[in-house]
Amino acid sequence: TDSKSLSVLLSAAAVRQRCRWILEAARAGTLNHFVYDDSVLDDCAQIVAQETRTNYPDLVVPYHSRWRHFETPAGDLSDLLLDYVGASDDGRCRAELDLVFISVLLDAGAGGRWQYRDDDTGMVYHRSEGLAVASIRMFVAGLFSSDPASPCQVDSDALIALDVNGLKSGFKANGDNPLPGLAERTLLLNRLGEVLADSVATGLCRPCDWILDNLGERPVTADHLLAVVLTHLNPIWPQGHIEDGVALGDVGYHPVACSAEEFPGLVPFHKLSQWLTYSLIEPLARGGIEVCELNGLTGLAEYRNGGLFLDCGVIQADGAALTHQPLAVASEIVVEWRALTIALLDELAPRVRQLLALNEDDFPLACLLQGGSWSAGGRLAQQRRPDGSAPLAAEGAVRPANRHRPRVLFDRSLRKNARPPKNVFCDAKIL
């Protein structure tokens, strides 16, 4: 096996194809954990279309990305960068690429108790929105830069030197305001710093360098941008799945995929990496670099989109699965749920476009996610459960990079009756 053949799993096309196999098995009624009801999908599309009209009455829907979390009731906090990098499109592009890289990586589960009070505006934020606001405040304060004269950058030296107290202070976490996973987040950023440093012969390296130096021909396709992200980012994941020296990243195992000629049993998702890729599109546009063919990316396999299909009844889990016990992220039922989520978003998109009288170019998947599916999933969760939790509980925290733990290797002899590899799940922020 060479790195070129391994790259078949490092693409959105592979995500789409292998998740589709699991939907086809659901249609055939051969899945172990879920039953599929195609007749409910049109009702689900109506809910998402109405959600989109409510959220964006003019139907001008922005892309689903980290930038939406910077657009707060107090204004667009990304404008803070202008005070530090000026109005230059190139300078702001590079700063924004660095910012969104670090902000997405910090966007793991925040728990139900943590909150972030923004000193400048007096506003209080929770969960992803709070993590986003905290991350931009830390960024402009220079926490991720080793150059005091240039605070709005992320560089290898600063990330390697980062300690847990720096993040704890930046997130305003303490005993009364606990944020889970601080040590894990710190170690993840340390690892990013190490991989950045390894990518250059001398001097500092920034995430924006990774992106801008590897884009190739213009315009850049979204799938190529994802490939750049995966190639550079996958080695940082704590339980990264590696074969022949190539990090495969967010990959699960499911028996339905065992008929694949290459890497049987493996189902890629690349959830956090695709979330980052969606979030890179706007900074690149500011720098004059167009990203095209956005529908080359897939939907995102996370609990709001996945919960939408469960709460609407498009898929139903068997009774044994509907427990309050958290399910292991590498478990067959969670892999099944995530794969169905991605495939069903592809089924949902044309139905919602038809209801909104929009075409694919005006309403790509990135807009479906932002306009309706994610928020509709959240609204249904609030209606059905007092705490607004997902209908299934999956463990999803980012775990620390253990440099002393042997990496998991994929056995090329894996076939239909073989046991799945352990710990293949890494960059998926489920919760």
Side-chain angles (χ1 to χ4, degrees):
T1 303
D2 58 27
S3 60
K4 184 176 181 181
S5 64
L6 283 163
S7 69
V8 301
L9 293 177
L10 300 178
S11 71
V15 175
R16 178 166 275 118
Q17 179 189 52
R18 298 200 177 201
C19 290
R20 185 98 194 153
W21 293 346
I22 293 178
L23 177 58
E24 289 167 358
R27 282 200 170 103
T30 59
L31 288 184
N32 290 329
H33 304 288
F34 291 94
V35 176
Y36 173 56
D37 187 350
D38 182 71
S39 68
V40 185
L41 199 55
D42 284 338
D43 293 338
C44 182
Q46 289 280 2
I47 290 171
V48 173
Q50 185 54 52
E51 185 80 14
T52 304
R53 289 191 190 98
T54 300
N55 293 338
Y56 300 94
D58 59 2
L59 297 184
V60 178
V61 183
Y63 301 144
H64 187 64
S65 80
R66 190 56 158 166
W67 297 101
R68 305 291 79 77
H69 291 147
F70 298 134
E71 296 166 355
T72 74
D76 187 345
L77 294 187
S78 67
D79 288 340
L80 287 170
L81 302 184
L82 292 172
D83 296 335
Y84 298 90
V85 299
S88 158
D89 284 342
D90 179 68
R92 188 167 180 185
C93 168
R94 291 174 61 83
E96 287 183 347
L97 290 171
D98 278 0
L99 166 62
V100 79
F101 222 99
I102 211 77
S103 187
V104 165
L105 291 183
L106 288 171
D107 189 25
R113 294 178 58 195
W114 178 79
Q115 64 180 26
Y116 182 80
R117 181 177 295 277
D118 186 27
D119 291 339
D120 285 19
T121 64
M123 298 194 66
V124 176
Y125 301 92
H126 302 84
R127 299 189 183 273
S128 273
E129 291 78 4
L131 295 170
V133 174
S135 71
I136 196 169
R137 293 298 187 191
M138 287 186 273
F139 181 76
V140 298
L143 183 62
F144 311 113
S145 171
S146 63
D147 181 0
S150 183
C152 287
Q153 69 179 41
V154 174
D155 64 62
S156 49
D157 282 5
L159 293 181
I160 291 170
L162 185 69
D163 63 24
V164 70
N165 288 329
L167 278 189
K168 183 177 181 180
S169 175
F171 282 121
K172 302 182 180 179
N174 54 45
D176 296 324
N177 189 36
L179 178 64
L182 276 170
E184 291 83 353
R185 289 171 222 259
T186 306
L187 287 168
L188 189 67
L189 296 190
N190 294 155
R191 178 63 182 148
L192 172 61
E194 292 168 0
V195 175
L196 279 167
D198 289 344
S199 69
V200 294
T202 58
L204 298 177
C205 183
R206 296 170 55 181
C208 64
D209 298 327
W210 268 0
I211 300 301
L212 295 173
D213 292 348
N214 290 282
L215 291 180
E217 295 182 4
R218 316 293 168 83
V220 180
T221 66
D223 204 20
H224 176 70
L225 180 58
L226 174 63
V228 172
V229 169
L230 289 171
T231 300
H232 290 85
L233 196 62
N234 272 352
I236 79 168
W237 298 115
Q239 295 183 351
H241 186 91
I242 288 190
E243 168 71 359
D244 288 355
V246 177
L248 297 182
D250 177 14
V251 176
Y253 171 89
H254 197 280
V256 165
C258 281
S259 59
E261 290 185 10
E262 293 187 280
F263 313 109
L266 293 189
V267 181
F269 298 108
H270 305 313
K271 186 268 169 182
L272 201 62
S273 297
Q274 290 203 80
W275 168 238
L276 175 57
T277 302
Y278 278 124
S279 300
L280 295 172
I281 294 169
E282 289 160 86
L284 288 172
R286 188 182 298 280
I289 300 169
E290 178 190 357
V291 179
C292 62
E293 300 178 22
L294 300 191
N295 285 311
L297 301 179
T298 73
L300 302 178
E302 49 74 62
Y303 78 116
R304 287 304 185 209
N305 288 311
L308 169 70
F309 295 116
L310 276 167
D311 283 334
C312 283
V314 177
I315 53 176
Q316 298 107 36
D318 66 29
L322 294 173
T323 69
H324 297 293
Q325 189 69 29
L327 301 162
V329 290
S331 64
E332 187 176 291
I333 184 172
V334 173
V335 171
E336 221 165 83
W337 182 28
R338 299 183 79 208
L340 288 171
T341 298
I342 287 176
L344 287 170
L345 286 166
D346 276 347
E347 296 285 309
L348 186 69
R351 289 169 165 82
V352 175
R353 289 183 193 118
Q354 184 176 20
L355 290 168
L356 298 177
L358 295 172
N359 62 37
E360 191 172 338
D361 289 336
D362 292 335
F363 197 73
L365 268 173
C367 296
L368 174 79
L369 298 171
Q370 179 62 28
S373 66
W374 194 91
S375 57
R379 185 169 55 80
L380 289 176
Q382 290 289 346
Q383 291 173 358
R384 284 161 171 72
R385 290 167 293 281
D387 61 353
S389 61
L392 295 181
E395 301 165 345
V398 174
R399 297 177 183 178
N402 186 338
R403 298 174 190 83
H404 306 293
R405 181 192 305 162
R407 291 187 180 275
V408 179
L409 298 180
F410 178 58
D411 181 359
R412 287 195 298 272
S413 67
L414 185 67
R415 289 296 180 263
K416 194 162 188 173
N417 296 320
R419 295 179 65 82
K422 296 179 181 179
N423 296 332
V424 297
F425 200 94
C426 47
D427 83 338
K429 184 183 79 75
I430 293 291
L431 300 181

